[in-house]
Amino acid sequence: MIAGRQEAARPAVGTGIVQVFGVAAAKAGWSEKQLRAAGRDFYAVHVHPASHAGYYPGSETLSMKLLADPASDRILGVQIVGRDGVDKRVDVVATAMQAGLPAAELAHLELAYAPQFGSAKDAVNILGSVAENTRTGTTPSLQWHELDDAVAAGATLIDVRSPAEFAAGAIPGARSIPLDELRERIDELPAGPLVVHCQVGLRGHVATRLLLQHGREVRNLDGGYRTWCDATGASR
């Protein structure tokens, strides 16, 4: 009886993909909306890696979202959007789901490499690394839809991108302190909790680790400015 309930709560992986005007969108497993409706616990990560090595012509940005169980780290769902390499990545993650691999193991998969097909650290590997850092608390994170409440509760938002990036568009209320200057300007940061962000999350991760080592309460905005723009409809 218990096993039956568990199977009912865990649907088939169910991979699907569509393409419109050159942009492919793929999904496997649960969506965040479905998980919330089912009352399931989960954690989410967003990454925006390149479809192949950036120095090789034709590289495109992928937008990837992974949903996993915080207790077991079982992969619950994935969504990927992009112009190149979407099919390969969703198939890899769907296979990992079917095999019961935890999300963190995606970081250690050995995938085919050549500059025109992928980076030495593939987009799927990056997804797994971010998942592991998020679940273990190595990089405490905050979702885009949690940002307003965090700021209202007293958190200060720090944009660690370059001044040029900040000038081109920023989250309202953010304070600009580029990552390269952060260590020397820590004394400028106000007391209380901090939320940091960069363009897609990597520099935010570095900033979060630096500030944690200085004893600050800090979280990285998951997926960075790009995820925030995509989710809120802001221009980027």
Side-chain angles (χ1 to χ4, degrees):
M1 188 69 174
I2 293 174
R5 286 200 299 268
Q6 289 176 338
E7 289 304 315
R10 189 172 66 233
V13 172
T15 306
I17 186 168
V18 296
Q19 186 171 29
V20 180
F21 300 123
V23 177
K27 173 182 179 292
W30 298 77
S31 68
E32 182 170 344
K33 183 177 181 180
Q34 290 170 327
L35 287 170
R36 290 189 183 280
R40 290 288 302 270
D41 288 336
F42 67 92
Y43 72 90
V45 297
H46 298 77
V47 299
H48 302 277
S51 60
H52 62 247
Y55 60 82
Y56 194 91
S59 178
E60 298 281 353
T61 298
L62 294 166
S63 291
M64 308 174 72
K65 178 179 181 178
L66 185 77
L67 303 161
D69 185 282
S72 67
D73 206 30
R74 185 181 183 91
I75 302 168
L76 300 175
V78 65
Q79 293 94 49
I80 307 174
V81 177
R83 292 183 175 274
D84 177 54
V86 171
D87 54 340
K88 169 186 174 180
R89 274 57 181 231
V90 76
D91 281 346
V92 170
V93 179
T95 300
M97 291 173 66
Q98 193 70 37
L101 291 181
E105 283 302 306
L106 296 177
H108 308 296
L109 294 179
E110 293 286 346
L111 302 174
Y113 165 68
Q116 66 269 44
F117 298 113
S119 300
K121 182 175 286 188
D122 190 79
V124 171
N125 300 138
I126 293 171
L127 192 62
S129 295
V130 175
E132 183 173 21
N133 287 339
T134 299
R135 177 174 177 261
T136 61
T138 300
T139 309
S141 66
L142 184 79
Q143 294 299 315
W144 68 269
H145 55 81
E146 300 171 322
L147 179 59
D148 288 347
D149 286 345
V151 172
T156 301
L157 179 61
I158 306 297
D159 187 332
V160 299
R161 299 176 300 160
S162 69
E165 289 174 295
F166 184 81
I171 299 175
R175 179 174 177 178
S176 175
I177 302 182
L179 177 60
D180 291 345
E181 302 173 14
L182 184 59
R183 190 181 299 274
E184 289 72 31
R185 297 175 62 183
I186 283 181
D187 290 342
E188 297 180 25
L189 297 173
L194 304 170
V195 176
V196 299
H197 84 85
C198 61
Q199 188 68 17
V200 297
L202 178 57
R203 285 171 289 175
H205 158 75
V206 175
T208 298
R209 296 300 305 158
L210 187 158
L211 292 168
L212 285 171
Q213 291 166 11
H214 281 78
R216 296 304 304 265
E217 179 185 348
V218 57
R219 288 181 287 175
N220 184 25
L221 182 63
D222 181 55
Y225 182 65
R226 178 160 184 151
T227 291
W228 181 86
C229 286
D230 289 346
T232 62
S235 59
R236 51 179 169 80

